[in-house]
Every structure is written in C-alpha cells, then in structure tokens.
Amino acid sequence: MLCLSRSMGIFACCSLLLLFSTAAEAGIVGVNYGRVANNLPSATEVVELLKSNGISHVKLYDADPSFLRALAGTGVKVVVTVPNEILASTAARPGFALAWVQRNVVAYYPSTQIQAIAVGNEVFVYPRNLTTFLVPAMQNVHAALSSLRLDGVIKISSPIALTALQNSYPSSAGSFRPELVVSVLQPMLEFLRQTGSYLMVNAYPFFAYEANADVISLDYALFRPNPGVVDSGNGLRYYSLLDAQIDAVFAAMSAIKYEDIKIVISETGWPSKGDADETGAGQANAAAYNGNLIRRVLSGNAGTPLRPQADIDVYLFALFNENQKPGPTSERNYGLFYPDEGKVYDVEFTLGGSNGGGLRWEDVRGKGPSTTLPPSSSSGTVRTSSTGESWCVANAMVGKARLQAAMDYACGEGGADCRPIQQGAACYEPDTVEAHASYAFNSYYQGKGRAMGTCDFEGAAYVVSQPPRIGNCALPSGA
C-alpha cells in the first residue's frame, strides 16, 4: 500500500466494492506480509503463525529468501514481487529478468509453492515515474518463466491503485485515466489476457469513508446491514463500498474492451488505530471490516453486482502492525497481529472449523440447513461481552434464499421463538424475509446467551450494538 492512495477523494476513490451471489464459488483469503518494522518474528515463526491460523495464501513485497525457505513443504501458496526499485533494469535487460527468476523463483519452486509474481506495486503512483517500464518488465519476466517452462503454473500481474481511475462514481461510469490507457493499461491488459492472468487491484474503502464520513454510511463501508445505494447508471443496488470500487474497475476495463479479465484484490484492509482526524480508524471497525469480508468471501458471496458470478480472491493488508511505516498513525496499524503474534482483534480465517488448513471453504450448500447453518466460530467483531447489550440481525447481502434457509434452521431445530413473526402476530409486519430473519436470528442469539459464533449462520447474520427496530417491533436484547 502506498500512502499516496489516501489523496483520492470520495468519487475518485470511494466507489468500488464486492457483492454476493449464491451461485458463486468461494474465493480465497490471503494476507500481505509487509516487513517495514524492526520487531517482527523470525521467518520460521511467521510461517508457524500462518499455519496455526489456517492462512494458506500470502503475498510478499519482495522475494525474501529466509521466508521462502521457511515456506518449503508447507503447502502455503505465495506471491512474490519484483520491487519497483529494479523495475527499470528488469524492463531493459532480459538477462536481468532471467537471473531474478532463477534466483527468486527457481531456487525454491516447487517445494515452496510460488503461484504468482507481482511486477512492481502501484507503479502509477510511485514517486518515481516508472510507468513506461511496467509492461516490458512483465514481458521479460514472462519470457524468463517460459524459457524455464514455468509460465503455465506461475502467473504474472501488477497491483494497481484506484488512482488509475479517472471516474469511479457511479460505478457504472468507471473509466481509466486517459493518459494511461494507450500507453500502459491496454498493453498490460492484453498481456494479462494472452497469458491467462488477472489484474491485481489495491482497494481501501477506509480512505473514502475517512474523507467523507458525512456522506458515506459506516455500515456501507463495513459490510454491515444497510439499505444499499443504487447506481444511477445501471440501476444496480450496492450494499458495500468495496463492491462499488471493484465494479468501477470492471466498468473501466469493459470500456476499453477487456471485460473478460479477472480481478484479484491484492490489498484491502482497515486500520485498528489512527490519529484524531482519521475518522473510522479503530479496533472494532477493523474487526468488522476484515471479519465480515473474510466470511463473505469464504461463504461464496464474493461476486459483485456487475459480475455476480465472479470468484474474487482477496489479500488482506496486513499480517502485522509495522512500526517503521511513515505517515499517519493508521499506516502503522493495519495488522491482524501484533509483532508478538497476539491478535489485534478476533477474526477467524476459516468457516465452520478446520478444512485442511486452507482458506477456501468447502461448499456444503444444498445439503440441508442442519449441515450448512449451525453458526461458525467467526464473528468478525471484537469479542462481545456476555453481559453487554447486543443484537443479531439479518445480512440482506446474502439474498433471500439463504436468509430463508437460515431462518428455517433457527425457527426449527435451532429452537428460536418465532411465534411473534407468524401471520397476525406482533412482529409479523413488515412481511419480508429480511425482517423475519432478523427476529429469528436474534431470538436464537439471545437464547444462546449471545455466545461467540451464535450470530453468524454462515454469513447470513451480524452482531450490532445499537438497538434495531423491525417496523414497530423492537428486538429484545436479553441483557
């Protein structure tokens, strides 16, 4: 993440998101391992931390040899990076690119499962102008892989920041900056198409919310239940800021005839601490953003309104808080873990328990509510006190079919008291699946003593700390 991303305004930075479709396959969730710090654990300890938390995909900002050696034989998949500082040499000298691949890929593969190479990072906003070197560098690295017969198994891409967009609001009007289109974006996207690769995108809803908290709903930014925002251009309703951001990139690619390219979210996250003027930075919000995003991706809801069938993979930023990063306090507090390996907040990387150490959830939809709906251990929030007030409400983003299935479980073998939402009863109105599901989920949650994991239903519900009302019906807190 380059701090320059912070400069983007509400409509230049805030309008891209991710959505949900019950037909989408589950994506993967990985983490970015940044090392701008002087107090991090050893490479071996970091690998053990990844394994113990079920994190099976990691992205580096270089090709650190000690870490690549420590990954050998673990099955953890890794993305390595050609740093911006050597982009010019990589572009100008095929031999340099070949030597880099031999030294940083061939030396470890396949024992260390290197699956992709990021050539540069946010090159278009890098302080030095490296734009003209990007595509030639990607081509030289690909030629090196081809000569070593690795081009079929290792992909090449380059993360772009949202500053590559000229327009991003509404999402349907997404377009790239004109000066980048012919010179670099069209050649790069053509390269990705020809090599069967994908576009890496770094997207941070936090920056947009921070700068425009008076306009943007916090629930909208954190994947929490909200009424949504309708795109005036295509009529689609968006329930999350990240979805709107990603669809703006999809629209920009479509405008130049590259609508077939897949997107991987190579960076996204939310800071757990910030300066006084960094609105929205905080532990609870970071836990909600990352926890809700993880649950959504792993439960197969990773498409967007524009591309509901998309299988979008996500790399969270970042593994650790990094104490030597410059800039505001937030820059040093994006970590999921402290350097002592303690969690900054409680977020789980799996759904429904272990699935072989991977971050890809085994899709069990269609096997009956008793199989799919018992709540998982992931809440996506800072742990809720067993005595404090909290409520469980439906997540409209998963769609009516999944809400109905979850409600059937809660009202059936889950034992929730659903009599008040029967026809003619006090909480029957409004007669919607979402309203009835919120009542049922909350009844189940309160009946279980608000225990961790009892408001989840595989992503169909969320915990809230403000008393919700469903029509004229107030949901009991049980406190």
Side-chain angles (χ1 to χ4, degrees):
M1 176 179 62
L2 295 180
C3 298
L4 294 175
S5 298
R6 304 173 57 85
S7 64
M8 301 167 63
I10 175 173
F11 299 136
C13 159
C14 80
S15 58
L16 306 137
L17 284 154
L18 267 132
L19 182 43
F20 20 34
S21 167
T22 56
E25 294 297 323
I28 63 96
V29 177
V31 295
N32 285 276
Y33 176 30
R35 303 196 314 280
V36 187
N38 60 8
N39 57 354
L40 298 181
S42 69
T44 301
E45 291 171 325
V46 173
V47 170
E48 289 304 312
L49 179 68
L50 297 175
K51 291 165 57 181
S52 66
N53 284 276
I55 300 173
S56 62
H57 292 73
V58 63
K59 177 173 160 282
L60 303 180
Y61 292 91
D62 53 18
D64 179 59
S66 61
F67 187 68
L68 292 177
R69 284 194 296 269
L71 284 177
T74 64
V76 174
K77 295 178 173 58
V78 60
V79 178
V80 297
T81 296
V82 178
N84 288 349
E85 290 77 9
I86 63 170
L87 208 60
S89 297
T90 307
R93 298 159 49 197
F96 183 94
L98 177 61
W100 189 93
V101 170
Q102 289 174 323
R103 183 172 61 254
N104 296 290
V105 176
V106 177
Y108 307 101
Y109 185 86
S111 181
T112 296
Q113 294 190 20
I114 299 171
Q115 65 171 7
I117 300 172
V119 178
N121 182 56
E122 297 189 354
V123 171
F124 306 149
V125 294
Y126 191 65
R128 291 170 52 202
N129 188 356
L130 300 175
T131 299
T132 58
F133 301 118
L134 179 57
V135 175
M138 295 172 76
Q139 292 169 334
N140 282 345
V141 172
H142 183 260
L145 289 176
S146 297
S147 69
L148 298 164
R149 297 184 179 180
L150 292 174
D151 56 306
V153 291
I154 298 176
K155 300 298 183 184
I156 297 172
S157 188
S158 183
I160 66 169
L162 297 185
T163 48
L165 294 173
Q166 166 138 320
N167 297 310
S168 61
Y169 184 86
S171 298
S172 57
S175 62
F176 290 119
R177 286 159 44 193
E179 72 273 18
L180 295 176
V181 171
V182 175
S183 63
V184 62
L185 284 168
Q186 285 181 327
M188 180 173 72
L189 292 170
E190 183 63 29
F191 170 85
L192 297 178
R193 174 185 282 168
Q194 294 300 322
T195 59
S197 190
Y198 42 79
L199 179 65
M200 291 180 169
V201 177
N202 295 348
Y204 287 88
F206 168 71
F207 295 143
Y209 175 77
E210 172 202 19
N212 304 278
D214 58 332
V215 179
I216 299 174
S217 159
L218 183 60
D219 289 338
Y220 183 63
L222 298 179
F223 303 98
R224 295 196 301 219
N226 65 87
V229 176
V230 175
D231 186 307
S232 59
N234 57 25
L236 295 173
R237 183 175 294 273
Y238 287 83
Y239 292 95
S240 72
L241 183 53
L242 182 59
D243 280 338
Q245 291 177 323
I246 297 305
D247 269 0
V249 181
F250 277 136
M253 291 195 299
S254 181
I256 57 174
K257 311 303 182 185
Y258 286 94
E259 60 279 346
D260 56 313
I261 305 297
K262 177 182 175 179
I263 283 179
V264 166
I265 300 177
S266 42
E267 283 186 24
T268 192
W270 197 281
S272 61
K273 186 185 296 185
D275 296 322
D277 61 347
E278 293 189 284
T279 305
Q283 192 176 79
N285 288 346
Y289 180 83
N290 285 323
N292 291 336
L293 177 57
I294 290 170
R295 185 165 57 244
R296 174 180 156 177
V297 172
L298 298 188
S299 60
N301 296 323
T304 68
L306 192 59
R307 294 194 180 180
Q309 307 304 319
D311 182 11
I312 297 180
D313 300 333
V314 174
Y315 287 82
L316 301 178
F317 185 89
L319 187 58
F320 294 108
N321 284 342
E322 298 173 72
N323 67 348
Q324 293 186 318
K325 292 200 72 174
T329 297
S330 63
E331 291 295 322
R332 294 174 289 284
N333 289 278
Y334 273 88
L336 301 167
F337 295 90
Y338 294 110
D340 66 3
E341 301 182 40
K343 284 187 176 182
V344 177
Y345 41 82
D346 186 62
V347 169
E348 301 298 328
F349 293 89
T350 58
L351 290 182
S354 173
N355 57 12
L359 286 177
R360 196 176 186 97
W361 180 44
E362 181 182 356
D363 192 345
V364 293
R365 286 169 294 179
K367 299 181 182 177
S370 62
T371 302
T372 62
L373 296 173
S376 76
S377 61
S378 172
S379 72
T381 62
V382 176
R383 290 187 180 275
T384 304
S385 166
S386 60
T387 59
E389 286 192 311
S390 59
W391 295 262
C392 184
V393 296
N395 175 12
M397 294 189 294
V398 303
K400 292 181 180 179
R402 291 187 61 187
L403 288 180
Q404 184 65 58
M407 180 168 53
D408 290 345
Y409 169 79
C411 293
E413 58 188 280
D417 180 9
C418 296
R419 290 172 296 178
I421 56 175
Q422 301 304 309
Q423 190 169 6
C427 294
Y428 179 73
E429 297 293 343
D431 180 16
T432 66
V433 173
E434 182 182 355
H436 290 178
S438 288
Y439 193 95
F441 296 163
N442 186 66
S443 175
Y444 180 93
Y445 175 65
Q446 304 299 341
K448 298 296 183 181
R450 301 176 302 286
M452 181 63 64
T454 58
C455 177
D456 186 281
F457 299 95
E458 303 297 8
Y462 293 86
V463 173
V464 297
S465 58
Q466 298 298 316
R469 293 189 68 87
I470 308 299
N472 294 322
C473 186
L475 301 188
S477 70

